[in-house]
Amino acid sequence: MTPAAHKRPAPHAEPPTEPSSAGRGSAIGRRMVLTLAVTCGVAVGTVYFPQSISPLIAAGLHVPPDAAALAVTAVQAGYTAGIFLLVPLGDRLPPRPFLATLLALTGLSLLAAGCAPTLPALIAASALTGVTTVAAPIIAPLAAGLAPADRRGAVTGTLLSGSIGGMLLARTFSGTLGERLGWRAPYLVAAVLTLLLATVLARTLPMTAPPARRPYPALLAEPLRLLRTEPDLRRSCLYQACVFAGFSAVWTCLALLLTGPSYGLDAQAAGLLALVGGATMLCAPLAGRLVDRRGPDPVNLVCLLGVLAAAAVLTAGACGGAAGLTALTTGTLLLDVAMQSGMVANQARIFALRPDARSRLNTAYMTCAYLGGSAGSWLGTRAYGHAGWPGVCVLVAALTALALARHLVSPSHLFPPLTFSRRRTEPAGRARDRA
């Protein structure tokens, strides 16, 4: 049992602005969870599907391939900005109209992108798409608040499965559709799907009161304050930043390895290998159920050890041939499962800290994760340039060892759960009451 789990039953742990978990558990059923998971998949897929049709955009708009890639960069940059600027509003605005409006704006911007006559117009529409397609990081804390405490991990895992499915299938969907109907078709189909989901959520999403009424500038500053005041948030961010950095390093350098002299494959091989990660769609809900039963700390420990094992297995991928390809397939699958399962545990931990600030907690968490991923890509390419594929695997192991060392000295490992809850719960409750 984790410290966060002991804080939940305390009478002062829940602010008066939020109903109890039991009372809200009836507000979300399995059908609603499935609808939200599909919404997460479509929203996340919107960020990734342009990657597969960048060459088609270049040919269709008669621009160089590197210029067409700016449309991909624009949607990713917009997504990062949207996490920082819009996700904290999930704690201030009613979720039903907020999500429906965001999805409607995403659908309209996708429609504008699909009809863009020039590359600058496409880049502008792509940036707007990225800013508004932040439904997934808003839905995650919303669903955690609607679900009863004993189902929170399972619900988080199901939503993460939807995001993983969108991430994996978006590239295949857009590439196949783009080859047959042209580069505009994926944008237009995605626009229709997003507008349809906006309509569905506007009719079916439970109406709940926002937990916070703070001014917008205060909401923007809140994630930094939460990082300073919540130790469990800081360590969750550290775990995910380190693991996601290693994950990004592997997938950034994998194409270099597969197209290099060891394998001599084409660039599509990395995309096909990524489909192996589809197994995480099944593992994430299982990890969520395990978090519900045992708490997030044991799951984090297993996941960090799994990443270390993945780094060891991936090292054999430098050998080339069938044996090396088998090692790459096994290692990337293990890495994907461990990373995504660890994310379920981390989010379950942070969502239990401050029920009135879940969106702001998720903003801090996701921002740290993406900063870690960006740093991992940068470090990975340099490790590959200096030491080849084994250097990338050593980088993954070193980053994971840093997170594991922090995990092993966390208070939950130093003190019995009951002793720790008595030491922490009452001051935390007073601090929250003062807030």
Side-chain angles (χ1 to χ4, degrees):
M1 184 71 69
T2 63
H6 283 279
K7 284 187 271 186
R8 283 195 296 265
H12 51 263
E14 300 286 341
T17 56
E18 181 186 73
S20 66
S21 294
R24 296 183 314 162
S26 60
I28 186 168
R30 295 186 184 277
R31 182 177 298 179
M32 190 71 252
V33 172
L34 179 59
T35 301
L36 293 177
V38 172
T39 304
C40 289
V42 172
V44 171
T46 298
V47 179
Y48 289 94
F49 83 76
Q51 295 176 350
S52 297
I53 58 174
S54 180
L56 299 177
I57 293 173
L61 295 179
H62 308 290
V63 296
D66 56 343
L70 291 175
V72 179
T73 304
V75 70
Q76 292 175 337
Y79 187 68
T80 304
I83 289 176
F84 178 75
L85 295 173
L86 297 180
V87 173
L89 286 173
D91 287 331
R92 189 174 189 268
L93 301 178
R96 182 196 285 183
F98 184 39
L99 280 170
T101 300
L102 284 178
L103 289 169
L105 291 174
T106 301
L108 293 176
S109 60
L110 286 167
L111 186 62
C115 299
T118 62
L119 182 61
L122 175 60
I123 292 174
S126 297
L128 180 59
T129 298
V131 170
T132 58
T133 189
V134 290
I138 293 173
I139 286 173
L142 168 65
L146 291 173
D150 59 352
R151 286 189 59 223
R152 192 167 290 153
V155 169
T156 301
T158 301
L159 297 179
L160 185 58
S161 292
S163 297
I164 297 167
M167 188 187 308
L168 295 174
L169 299 178
R171 298 184 181 98
T172 304
F173 153 78
S174 63
T176 303
L177 195 62
E179 288 287 349
R180 294 187 178 185
L181 301 177
W183 69 269
R184 299 180 187 275
Y187 282 100
L188 299 178
V189 172
V192 172
L193 288 175
T194 306
L195 292 172
L196 179 62
L197 285 170
T199 303
V200 171
L201 290 187
R203 293 176 175 270
T204 62
L205 192 64
M207 282 296 296
T208 57
R213 295 177 177 85
R214 296 186 180 183
Y216 180 61
L219 290 176
L220 290 182
E222 185 75 358
L224 291 176
R225 192 187 72 81
L226 289 169
L227 279 171
R228 292 196 305 268
T229 59
E230 294 288 352
D232 281 346
L233 173 61
R234 289 199 299 272
R235 69 184 182 101
S236 296
C237 290
L238 175 66
Y239 298 163
Q240 192 64 22
C242 289
V243 173
F244 196 48
F247 177 87
S248 299
V250 167
W251 284 104
T252 299
C253 299
L254 189 61
L256 300 175
L257 175 65
L258 293 176
T259 56
S262 298
Y263 291 93
L265 300 174
D266 57 23
Q268 292 182 344
L272 293 175
L273 193 60
L275 292 177
V276 175
T280 55
M281 294 178 63
L282 302 177
C283 294
L286 296 177
R289 296 188 186 98
L290 187 59
V291 169
D292 290 335
R293 290 197 300 268
R294 303 294 301 274
D297 275 359
V299 176
N300 272 133
L301 178 61
V302 172
C303 291
L304 291 173
L305 293 175
V307 176
L308 285 177
V313 173
L314 286 168
T315 306
C319 301
L325 196 59
T326 301
L328 291 178
T329 303
T330 305
T332 53
L333 176 60
L334 182 57
L335 177 64
D336 287 3
V337 170
M339 193 274 287
Q340 302 289 1
S341 299
M343 187 171 183
V344 174
N346 290 329
Q347 287 190 310
R349 180 186 296 110
I350 67 171
F351 290 156
L353 294 175
R354 288 280 305 273
D356 64 317
R358 287 191 176 109
S359 289
R360 285 162 282 169
L361 289 164
N362 206 34
T363 297
Y365 174 77
M366 295 296 291
T367 301
C368 291
Y370 274 92
L371 288 175
S374 300
S377 297
W378 185 83
L379 292 171
T381 54
R382 276 142 189 82
Y384 190 86
H386 285 87
W389 183 251
V392 177
C393 298
V394 170
L395 173 64
V396 175
L399 290 167
T400 308
L402 175 63
L404 183 60
R406 173 64 184 86
H407 186 68
L408 293 177
V409 299
S410 64
S412 59
H413 293 281
L414 295 177
F415 302 102
L418 184 59
T419 302
F420 182 72
S421 66
R422 286 175 179 169
R423 294 178 60 169
R424 286 282 308 276
T425 299
E426 208 234 325
R430 286 204 301 262
R432 287 170 195 156
D433 289 340
R434 288 195 301 269

